[in-house]
Amino acid sequence: MSTTASGDPGPSGASGAPSALFDTLQHQVAVFARRAEQTRLGGVGAVRNSMDRAAYLLLNHLDNEGPMGVKALAASMGIDSSTVTRQVAPLVDGGLVSRTSHPEDGRAVVLQLSALGRDRLEEVRAGRRELLKELTGGWSDADQEAFCRLLTRFNEEIVARHNRLAQSGAPGSATPES
């Protein structure tokens, strides 16, 4: 028999977990999204993170994957090319990303993280690392690792669901903006 958070019996969800668990989980995910957006997971100390989520994800992706074209970047991030073009424009204007011609096809554009972009990204990463250390500093190593593992798994499930919906053409399969 399932029980609610208060220990009372409650109706079970599809997985056998109490509905109250999923009520709490959906609420906590919403609170997390709001808090993360409010702070933009800002850094600590003098270096505050003022980089928006889309910029951070684009810069991080270019840093991890290397220079690439708009279409390749869009496909690898699961967003459409027009979104990448719109989101990368201020990064180019700010000198964080450079646009160059493709070495084999001069008509194609390659996006690359600039030295300034790399420095700014590392500044943001350092601030975020410090904030996460502060927020989870009282947690055991096992709890920190479990949270990281479960959050990664949760994000992977979201991507997998999106991909399934996109392949089926189902409603709700529109490309999410990152």
Side-chain angles (χ1 to χ4, degrees):
M1 172 180 268
S2 64
T3 59
T4 64
S6 65
D8 299 323
S12 293
S15 70
S19 294
L21 172 78
F22 293 109
D23 287 345
T24 300
L25 183 57
Q26 66 80 23
H27 177 77
Q28 290 303 319
V29 167
V31 170
F32 172 78
R34 172 179 276 172
R35 299 289 185 249
E37 189 59 28
Q38 283 175 340
T39 63
R40 294 195 191 272
L41 288 178
V44 296
V47 178
R48 295 296 298 173
N49 172 25
S50 60
M51 186 178 289
D52 70 37
R53 180 192 57 205
Y56 174 78
L57 292 172
L58 284 166
L59 294 177
N60 197 57
H61 200 81
L62 287 172
D63 188 44
N64 291 333
E65 303 299 323
M68 62 181 64
V70 170
K71 286 183 182 179
L73 181 57
S76 65
M77 293 185 69
I79 56 180
D80 62 51
S81 295
S82 64
T83 299
V84 167
T85 299
R86 186 177 67 253
Q87 291 176 349
V88 83
L91 302 176
V92 171
D93 292 344
L96 302 176
V97 171
S98 61
R99 259 191 204 128
T100 59
S101 295
H102 192 283
E104 297 167 12
D105 180 0
R107 298 169 297 167
V109 172
V110 174
L111 301 171
Q112 181 172 352
L113 192 62
S114 69
L116 178 62
R118 188 167 283 104
D119 290 346
R120 179 69 179 115
L121 179 60
E122 184 48 40
E123 179 181 68
V124 170
R125 283 177 176 159
R128 289 179 176 197
R129 275 191 302 271
E130 288 304 311
L131 176 63
L132 290 171
K133 286 178 186 177
E134 177 185 314
L135 294 174
T136 63
W139 298 12
S140 69
D141 289 348
D143 282 351
Q144 290 173 340
E145 290 168 9
F147 181 67
C148 186
R149 180 179 47 79
L150 291 170
L151 188 56
T152 299
R153 182 176 171 191
F154 185 75
N155 283 325
E156 288 169 350
E157 290 295 332
I158 291 172
V159 170
R161 180 181 186 277
H162 170 74
N163 290 340
R164 285 190 307 272
L165 289 173
Q167 288 173 353
S168 72
S173 63
T175 304
E177 291 191 20
S178 294

